[in-house]
Amino acid sequence: MTFAIQHRASPVCTLDLTPDVSFAARNRMALRDLAETARLWRLCWTLAWLDIRLRYRGSMLGPFWLTLSTTAMVASMGVIYAILFHMGLRDYLPFLALSLVLWGYLSALVTDGCTSYTQVEGMVRSVRMPLSLYAARVVVRNLLVLAHNVVVIVAVYALLQVWPGAQVLFALPGLALWLIDSLAVCLLLGAVCARFRDIPPIIGSIMQMAFFISAVIWKPSQLHAQAWMLAFNPFFAMLEIVRAPLLGELPELATWAAALGFSAALCGASWLLFARVRNRIAFWV
Amino acid sequence: MDTVPEAVIEASTAARIDAEHVNVDFPLYHGNARSLKRMVFRTVAGRVATDPKHRVVVQALRDISFSLRRGDRLGLIGGNGAGKTTLLRTLAGIYEPQAGRVHVRGSLSALLDPNLGMNLDLTGRENIVLRAMYSRLERPAIRQLEEDVAAFADLGEFLDMPVRVYSSGMVVRLGFALATAIRPQVLLMDEWFLAGDASFMEKARVRLEDMVRGAEILVLSTHLTEVVLSWCTRVIWLDQGRVRADGPAEAVLSEYLGHPVSRQA
């Protein structure tokens, strides 16, 4: 009487677990984890989308509340800071809108990345899934938020009738780097924060500090001769490689070099840690 | 079509489980031991260097070895904390062993947590789709699963409402329908699943038995003697993470309970 759904019979599912602690074996398992996540992209997308939908279920505007709150923030801060910095609104507002939206993504991603695993504790402990799936879900979720906020940038540009020109295409390699780094951040922070529960508040205060020192609401040129200091700020480098092209400028080569250097360090650290502790995370959450 | 020799099936797709000298340790980061502060202070005091593994570890499983082939029905018995659930999680690949080897072939389904994958804020239908995706089902199968679960759980219009507003009976029906809709080759089941067995509708009982029978290998962790006797052919008695006894169901159960039991009883 009951109706049975069989797993697809063709590929034989095999699970073979040995505590092989050699470097090569750890890397192989970590790679397999990533490959499996790639195969499960549809699940990843659904989970991320449901996260957004859930957050705004029952509200009238849904995820567009994000757009609205960003608009309010840009409008109010734009007027005040344009006066403070003695800048024209036409010059300052596009910069601010862009900065706030992009920074919003970076900051939310880093804070969200801390709970990549702890947030899905029940899931991690009841079914075997590639762990990087949970990190990828956080990335996709934040990309969806970013997509809702991009509307604000477009609106400001249209309203003030400023168009950055063909230079915007140079933002694409920057965005590609962002994608890779985003996953690396979530894998890294997710694991560290699952093990040490007092890291998230530390990250929170770091991000708050970074907001003020990373030329988000003020322009790098306002530092005048001291602008070289920004070279040591990874957040600035990452922000600038995407922001500058969208403002119609080209980021300096040094900024790109710094962004690549910081990214390489981040990805390296993240990979080593993930390969090392992947099989421990289920015990930590 | 029926002429495929059994040996060929056995070699290619038949489910099997091999556990060889499996050890699982549980790190306990209770209280402050987990915090960064403790770690930093310990480093400062130079104690990390002297004892890098300065942590409390529970030896959850010790030297567990057994093999299961097609048709085997294994019952796990033992007191609370004997390692039954940990062993199920290890077989499901959730915990990876620190020593030894776990080898499982065949599609696997682990019913460990009554609310597995159920998000109370999502609608019944969304939960069904998610579960199907977790099981790596393809699109047509997802549609099938949706129909099957909807028919069994009999939720009507509630299917498109958040699970949070369901009555507790409806939640149980949905959870049960979801858990039993996908037929695995290897079925790992924790005792929670049978907890409400006495009061369970006849419909549910038939469905569950159907799934158990359909699985090539069953591993069941339970306290309920009758269930072990009616479903299991072999029993492993776990005690403090070790195998205390392993053998035919009646023999091991009699030893465990301290009085003879038989299938007819």
Side-chain angles (χ1 to χ4, degrees), chain A residues 101-257:
Chain A
V101 168
L102 293 179
W103 182 262
Y105 169 78
L106 288 181
S107 156
L109 180 88
V110 170
T111 357
D112 223 9
C114 290
T115 54
S116 298
Y117 303 130
T118 46
Q119 203 180 33
V120 290
E121 167 189 2
M123 216 58 233
V124 171
R125 274 209 302 243
S126 54
V127 61
R128 182 182 172 86
M129 280 284 144
L131 280 161
S132 50
L133 173 77
Y134 304 114
R137 167 197 194 169
V138 174
V139 176
V140 176
R141 178 166 70 211
N142 281 288
L143 284 174
L144 286 172
V145 173
L146 177 64
H148 282 94
N149 283 332
V150 164
V151 179
V152 181
I153 303 176
V154 176
V156 167
Y157 277 32
L159 210 69
L160 298 176
Q161 293 181 330
V162 279
W163 295 108
Q167 256 95 338
V168 290
L169 289 179
F170 284 98
L172 291 179
L175 284 170
L177 192 61
W178 271 30
L179 273 187
I180 299 168
D181 285 357
S182 297
L183 189 63
V185 161
C186 291
L187 285 174
L188 181 77
L189 289 179
V192 172
C193 297
R195 175 66 182 81
F196 300 104
R197 296 303 167 98
D198 37 16
I199 300 275
I202 299 177
I203 301 286
S205 31
I206 290 178
M207 289 316 289
Q208 198 168 17
M209 190 178 69
F211 173 74
F212 290 106
I213 63 168
S214 306
V216 181
I217 45 176
W218 43 271
K219 291 196 170 186
S221 57
Q222 287 174 281
L223 275 182
H224 304 296
Q226 272 73 45
W228 56 268
M229 285 195 292
L230 285 171
F232 300 98
N233 183 343
F235 293 108
F236 171 74
M238 293 314 295
L239 182 64
E240 190 66 5
I241 56 167
V242 174
R243 182 178 59 187
L246 293 179
L247 287 170
E249 301 153 15
L250 282 184
E252 287 171 43
L253 218 55
T255 311
W256 250 106

Side-chain angles (χ1 to χ4, degrees), chain A residues 1-21 29 33 36-37 39-51 53-55 57 118 120-131 133-134 137 192-199 202 276 278-285, chain B residues 12-14 24-27 29 33-37 39 53 55 86 89-110 112-113 116-119 121-123 126 129-130 133-139 141 144-146 148 152 162 180-185 203 206-207 210 214:
Chain A
M1 60 155 268
T2 47
F3 155 86
I5 289 171
Q6 295 286 350
H7 280 267
R8 276 171 307 149
S10 37
V12 181
C13 329
T14 315
L15 180 70
D16 199 353
L17 299 173
T18 43
D20 190 344
V21 289
M29 290 299 278
D33 192 288
E36 220 178 316
T37 296
R39 267 201 301 279
L40 289 170
W41 64 271
R42 197 178 282 143
L43 170 61
C44 186
W45 172 266
T46 310
L47 284 172
W49 183 239
L50 285 175
D51 282 341
R53 279 243 308 265
L54 267 188
R55 205 180 294 176
R57 176 153 282 173
T118 46
V120 290
E121 167 189 2
M123 216 58 233
V124 171
R125 274 209 302 243
S126 54
V127 61
R128 182 182 172 86
M129 280 284 144
L131 280 161
L133 173 77
Y134 304 114
R137 167 197 194 169
V192 172
C193 297
R195 175 66 182 81
F196 300 104
R197 296 303 167 98
D198 37 16
I199 300 275
I202 299 177
R276 180 78 182 77
R278 186 195 50 80
N279 57 3
R280 304 300 300 160
I281 289 169
F283 294 100
W284 290 346
V285 292
Chain B
S12 59
T13 60
V24 171
D25 289 335
F26 245 99
Y29 304 109
R34 194 183 196 117
S35 85
L36 183 66
K37 183 172 125 197
M39 181 114 166
K53 300 252 174 201
R55 55 184 184 197
T86 307
R89 287 212 171 109
T90 310
L91 293 178
I94 295 161
Y95 295 151
E96 297 190 8
Q98 272 93 54
R101 173 166 182 257
V102 172
H103 181 95
V104 178
R105 192 167 65 191
S107 63
L108 181 147
S109 177
L112 301 173
D113 177 349
L116 163 74
M118 274 237 260
N119 185 334
D121 293 311
L122 295 175
T123 67
E126 286 165 337
V129 171
L130 269 188
M133 291 177 110
Y134 277 126
S135 303
R136 296 160 172 80
L137 293 184
E138 296 292 328
R139 264 208 187 142
Q144 249 183 354
L145 183 82
E146 222 178 288
D148 175 48
F152 183 84
T180 49
I182 296 169
R183 302 300 153 93
Q185 286 174 283
K203 194 165 114 178
V206 170
R207 185 170 157 113
D210 210 39

